[in-house]
Amino acid sequence: MAAVGEHAISYDARGLSEPDAAVPKVSEIDGTSAEFDAHDLSTRQINLELRWLINEQGVTDVTVRNPGAKHSLGVGLLTRCKITFDGSLGYFGCGIIDGPEVHIKGRVGWSACENMMSGVVVIDSNAGSLTGAAFRGGDLVIKGRVGARTGIDQKGGTILIMGSAGSMNGFMMQRGRQIICGDVGHGLGDSMYDGTIYVGGKVRSLGIDCVPGEWTDADTEFIERKFRIYDLGAPPELQKFVCGKKLYNYDNLEPSERKLVL
């Protein structure tokens, strides 16, 4: 029975998430800066160490060495601070953050920065599908390529992609902006309700209700400012795409018309 009881305490039905893990406290702290090696730490231990440094030790600048492409790192951080991941992250990196300035010196897997509220995330290499899902605010800069459905259900902020992008980017976009410097796949901006998508390369096809938009001086100022902030050089010549506003009346359509729209 004791063995069963011990197992029940440490086991989490959601997937062995170490509910009883302790803060490792392995960081080298120098004033408001700190760094630690994550090679031998679990995901839970890494996140606990980050929260301990930022929320309890007054550290505002953290470097995480050897993150090892582990999943769900740097999530749920709600304080202004600087975090550098010296390597790649797995799935769901830096999700649900509000305020941090994050630099990822590698690649990221699926769903990086989902539900990000504010702050800045710069990714030096490629990102997987669903990057910036339900993105709400701040800047997300990807210096490589991204997969499909980047910015799905985007509600604000700016997603800037220096390389190419997959299909269905900006799907159900509600607000915010995307800047894609390379080519994009099929279904760009499908079912978008608002927001703006800028594309520098070829567009395989536009999604439902995504149409070319009229370029203004405000667009030029915005693009040049973002490229200047992140030292990305001169921006390419971009096309602008917006919502055609036809899906706004969807509920008023007859059933036969709905089939034609969708």
Side-chain angles (χ1 to χ4, degrees), residues 47-69:
N47 286 331
L48 285 172
E49 186 81 359
L50 282 170
R51 291 191 179 94
W52 174 69
L53 290 168
I54 295 166
N55 297 333
E56 298 182 33
Q57 301 303 307
V59 171
T60 58
D61 191 342
V62 184
T63 297
V64 182
R65 292 182 278 110
N66 300 311

Side-chain angles (χ1 to χ4, degrees), residues 6-245:
E6 290 171 4
H7 181 72
I9 291 173
S10 61
Y11 175 75
D12 181 356
R14 293 167 296 179
L16 296 174
S17 66
E18 305 172 82
D20 301 319
V23 180
K25 298 183 181 179
V26 295
S27 298
E28 299 175 7
I29 303 176
D30 182 9
T32 58
S33 299
E35 69 173 71
F36 66 94
D37 192 333
H39 184 271
D40 296 323
L41 302 180
S42 67
T43 294
R44 182 77 191 281
Q45 289 175 318
I46 295 169
N47 286 331
L48 285 172
E49 186 81 359
L50 282 170
R51 291 191 179 94
W52 174 69
L53 290 168
I54 295 166
N55 297 333
E56 298 182 33
Q57 301 303 307
V59 171
T60 58
D61 191 342
V62 184
T63 297
V64 182
R65 292 182 278 110
N66 300 311
K70 296 182 179 77
H71 305 319
S72 302
L73 296 185
V75 299
L77 298 174
L78 310 178
T79 306
R80 289 182 65 97
C81 60
K82 291 182 67 175
I83 300 173
T84 300
F85 288 99
D86 194 4
S88 297
L89 304 187
Y91 304 156
F92 301 105
C94 301
I96 325 176
I97 61 173
D98 190 359
E101 181 180 329
V102 182
H103 183 190
I104 301 169
K105 295 183 176 181
R107 301 183 296 273
V108 296
W110 293 343
S111 294
C113 305
E114 54 90 18
N115 269 298
M116 176 173 158
M117 302 295 290
S118 69
V120 174
V121 176
V122 177
I123 301 165
D124 283 352
S125 189
N126 301 329
S129 297
L130 298 167
T131 300
F135 195 80
R136 292 174 177 270
D139 286 351
L140 171 56
V141 180
I142 302 106
K143 295 185 177 180
R145 302 187 300 272
V146 295
R149 287 180 166 81
T150 294
I152 180 174
D153 197 26
Q154 183 176 347
K155 299 174 176 68
T158 300
I159 301 176
L160 198 164
I161 302 154
M162 294 301 292
S164 59
S167 61
M168 302 294 287
N169 280 273
F171 177 55
M172 292 185 69
M173 184 178 189
Q174 297 179 36
R175 288 180 181 172
R177 298 179 177 96
Q178 288 190 26
I179 306 168
I180 306 170
C181 296
D183 299 335
V184 294
H186 291 290
L188 177 71
D190 189 87
S191 302
M192 66 187 294
Y193 289 92
D194 208 336
T196 306
I197 303 175
Y198 304 93
V199 179
K202 296 179 180 179
V203 179
R204 293 290 297 272
S205 68
L206 296 177
I208 295 169
D209 215 19
C210 181
V211 299
E214 182 179 352
W215 194 275
T216 68
D217 291 340
D219 296 310
T220 301
E221 188 278 331
F222 169 75
I223 296 294
E224 291 180 348
R225 173 163 44 87
K226 292 298 181 182
F227 272 69
R228 185 171 59 252
I229 289 172
Y230 299 106
D231 196 21
L232 299 174
E237 185 175 344
L238 298 164
Q239 308 170 71
K240 177 182 178 180
F241 298 95
V242 297
C243 174
K245 308 291 186 181

